Amino acid sequence: MSSSRVFIIIVFLSISTSLEGKIIASDRSRLLLHLLFCKKNRKYLRSGYHCLSWKMFKNTFQSGFLSILYSLGSKPLQIWDKEVVNGHIKRPQDEDIQSSVLEIIGSNIQSTYITCPADPSATLGIKLPFLVMIVKNLKKYFTFEIQVLDDKNVRRRFRASNFQAMTRVKPYICTMPLKLDEGWNQIQLNLADFTRRAYGTNYVETLRVQVHANCRLRRIYFSDRLYSEEELPPEFKLYLPMQKA
């Protein structure tokens, strides 16, 4: 049994997911060195000193799936930064899927979050237009935000929240309502469609992903098109244990 799929509506519809993009050895080494420097010098970065701005996945072959977070990885937040105020970010065992997940909990959703890339001056540079998040509904306030670049060279933000009732489009940010089913959900975003319908421009790439409290995460990934459940590789599916009669 798999999770339910959530299609966000802005006035427009959304979508789903796809072979995982590989970082070649030289790119991976450069990425790890960059992240190591940034994390060791985090206090300077937050004071306004930034690492050299660069696109993390610029030289990565982008086709099929490109995963940026997986809760079962040895270091799920290796390319992420986190901020916690009156809350926690842990990796507990989820009782429904009987597996480790990333849990983000905070009394104020704005002050507890994870953000990717870790370096505030870097961008993802991911051109794949579909974003998929496998997330658990904790029946608390929850929001996330995606920053993209369009063909007018303007940075736009799309923010989805489960406490908002209407879609609002402003010059640089579009806020949308998010309705989650009980338990685990698969949120699917067609970023190219969102950009075109909200701003009349064309999607170029995703710059940043930021996920706020309160939720549990299994995986966040990008894909080149919408894939059916049958087409997904096993590691991209969410298996729920069979209920005993």
Side-chain angles (χ1 to χ4, degrees):
M1 181 180 177
S2 60
S3 59
S4 58
R5 298 194 174 198
V6 177
F7 292 84
I8 296 186
I9 300 216
I10 314 191
V11 181
F12 18 112
L13 206 52
S14 59
I15 290 227
S16 166
T17 232
S18 136
L19 238 161
E20 188 161 11
K22 306 297 183 191
I23 304 176
I24 60 176
S26 60
D27 285 340
R28 186 181 295 277
S29 299
R30 188 163 63 94
L31 171 61
L32 293 178
L33 286 172
H34 180 83
L35 291 173
L36 181 62
F37 173 83
C38 292
K39 288 190 174 184
K40 283 189 175 182
N41 296 276
R42 186 173 298 170
K43 66 178 182 179
Y44 299 108
L45 294 175
R46 288 178 177 168
S47 299
Y49 298 94
H50 301 308
C51 301
L52 181 64
S53 179
W54 67 302
K55 298 180 180 182
M56 288 181 60
F57 293 96
K58 178 181 179 181
N59 297 320
T60 302
F61 177 66
Q62 298 187 24
S63 177
F65 301 109
L66 201 167
S67 183
I68 61 172
L69 185 148
Y70 184 40
S71 66
L72 292 183
S74 58
K75 296 180 180 179
L77 296 178
Q78 186 172 28
I79 63 172
W80 296 71
D81 194 10
K82 61 183 179 180
E83 185 72 31
V84 180
V85 177
N86 295 326
H88 67 255
I89 296 176
K90 297 180 179 179
R91 192 155 60 150
Q93 191 86 353
D94 184 79
E95 59 281 2
D96 290 340
I97 61 173
Q98 298 175 10
S99 182
S100 296
V101 296
L102 189 72
E103 180 179 82
I104 308 173
I105 297 292
S107 57
N108 184 334
I109 60 170
Q110 294 301 326
S111 56
T112 299
Y113 60 87
I114 59 174
T115 184
C116 183
D119 175 11
S121 69
T123 64
L124 287 169
I126 296 177
K127 297 185 180 298
L128 302 175
F130 297 103
L131 173 68
V132 180
M133 295 175 54
I134 301 179
V135 60
K136 187 174 187 180
N137 181 4
L138 299 183
K139 299 179 180 179
K140 298 175 181 286
Y141 287 156
F142 165 59
T143 186
F144 67 90
E145 184 174 298
I146 315 299
Q147 186 182 65
V148 306
L149 183 72
D150 66 14
D151 62 352
K152 299 296 184 184
N153 204 34
V154 177
R155 297 186 177 206
R156 317 280 191 182
R157 290 182 294 152
F158 294 99
R159 180 186 298 158
S161 311
N162 65 355
F163 50 83
Q164 185 163 330
M166 295 177 58
T167 296
R168 294 183 175 86
V169 180
K170 296 182 180 180
Y172 303 108
I173 184 169
C174 174
T175 56
M176 309 167 288
L178 172 66
K179 180 174 173 53
L180 297 175
D181 292 335
E182 187 170 346
W184 284 94
N185 293 257
Q186 188 181 81
I187 300 173
Q188 306 168 332
L189 305 176
N190 184 338
L191 298 172
D193 188 52
F194 280 14
T195 305
R196 183 175 62 255
R197 290 179 178 266
Y199 297 107
T201 57
N202 295 313
Y203 168 83
V204 173
E205 63 187 35
T206 296
L207 304 175
R208 177 166 296 275
V209 175
Q210 191 157 298
V211 184
H212 292 252
N214 294 277
C215 69
R216 284 186 172 183
L217 294 169
R218 174 65 164 191
R219 189 188 283 275
I220 301 176
Y221 64 94
F222 290 82
S223 67
D224 56 357
R225 65 175 177 88
L226 175 61
Y227 288 78
S228 67
E229 189 75 13
E230 294 71 30
E231 291 178 294
L232 290 174
E235 64 272 21
F236 281 79
K237 296 180 181 180
L238 185 71
Y239 294 99
L240 300 179
M242 294 293 291
Q243 297 295 323
K244 293 182 179 180

